[in-house]
Amino acid sequence: MRTQMLKLQEVKENLEAKAAELAKINRELDDFTYIASHDLKEPLRGISSYCQILLEDYSGKLDDDGQRRLESLVGLCQRLSRLIDDLLTYSQIGRTEPEAAPIDLNEIVADVIDTLGAAIDERNAIVRVKGSLPTVEADRVLVGEVFRNLIANALKFNENPLPAVEIGHDG
């Protein structure tokens, strides 16, 4: 009996050590993600700025193909910036415990639509809210990320030349 208790204690201590090691690795991964996403933004801003300057200063000197390629590069910079923002948001979400509180989904969706304004304009899309959305008990950041991903994916995977996204609530 004593031998079994010692083995159980040893297994428990081993599991606790592994859990502590895993928690340390997760913290390091969160820190790396945060630092990497933050550090990637600066050179991307520079690339995007130079592309904008080239478009403004040399648009009359570029042929249609050059203009199209440069506009494509600007679009890719914007897309990469959004991906880095998403990575940064994800790393920040992992750093905090979700806090449930009453949140007005109308405000969340309006903020998300505002944040995604460039992507919405780029696709000549329409995003509308049908009726009034409820107030719910949830984490503001997580719910905002859900709506951001839903709307961004609806725009990204919609093949319609004039995509429309409708958000509503039946209840």
Side-chain angles (χ1 to χ4, degrees):
M1 179 80 154
R2 178 151 168 80
T3 305
Q4 284 180 329
M5 297 262 303
L6 288 174
K7 283 200 179 262
L8 283 176
Q9 182 63 29
E10 185 180 322
V11 168
K12 179 184 171 203
E13 289 171 2
N14 191 15
L15 285 174
E16 288 173 347
K18 293 289 184 189
E21 183 180 340
L22 183 59
K24 180 182 177 214
I25 290 169
N26 282 336
R27 279 191 306 276
E28 290 171 354
L29 184 58
D30 284 346
D31 290 344
F32 172 78
T33 303
Y34 177 78
I35 291 167
S37 61
H38 190 286
D39 289 350
L40 288 171
K41 292 288 280 188
E42 191 57 38
L44 183 60
R45 275 189 215 102
I47 293 167
S48 183
S49 292
Y50 276 116
C51 289
Q52 292 290 353
I53 290 169
L54 288 171
L55 275 173
E56 292 168 7
D57 293 351
Y58 295 95
S59 65
K61 298 177 183 176
L62 295 171
D63 63 6
D64 288 344
D65 189 47
Q67 182 79 19
R68 183 184 53 77
R69 288 175 188 246
L70 200 50
E71 288 170 354
S72 178
L73 188 55
V74 169
L76 290 171
C77 284
Q78 291 169 343
R79 181 173 177 214
L80 183 55
S81 180
R82 287 190 301 272
L83 290 171
I84 292 170
D85 286 342
D86 291 345
L87 181 62
L88 186 58
T89 300
Y90 178 76
S91 75
Q92 291 168 340
I93 289 171
R95 293 171 181 266
T96 60
E97 288 294 319
E99 292 184 21
I103 56 171
D104 182 351
L105 292 181
N106 296 292
E107 291 175 11
I108 300 289
V109 170
D111 288 345
V112 169
I113 291 170
D114 188 47
T115 302
L116 294 174
I120 294 167
D121 292 344
E122 184 179 296
R123 288 292 319 272
N124 294 316
I126 296 171
V127 179
R128 65 180 156 255
V129 178
K130 182 181 170 188
S132 182
L133 299 174
T135 296
V136 298
E137 184 92 11
D139 184 277
R140 181 177 203 78
V141 173
L142 293 176
V143 171
E145 198 57 30
V146 167
F147 276 107
R148 189 174 346 279
N149 289 335
L150 288 171
I151 294 169
N153 285 340
L155 295 173
K156 181 194 273 185
F157 298 111
N158 189 322
E159 295 180 8
N160 189 324
L162 299 171
V165 178
E166 189 170 283
I167 300 163
H169 164 67
D170 292 331

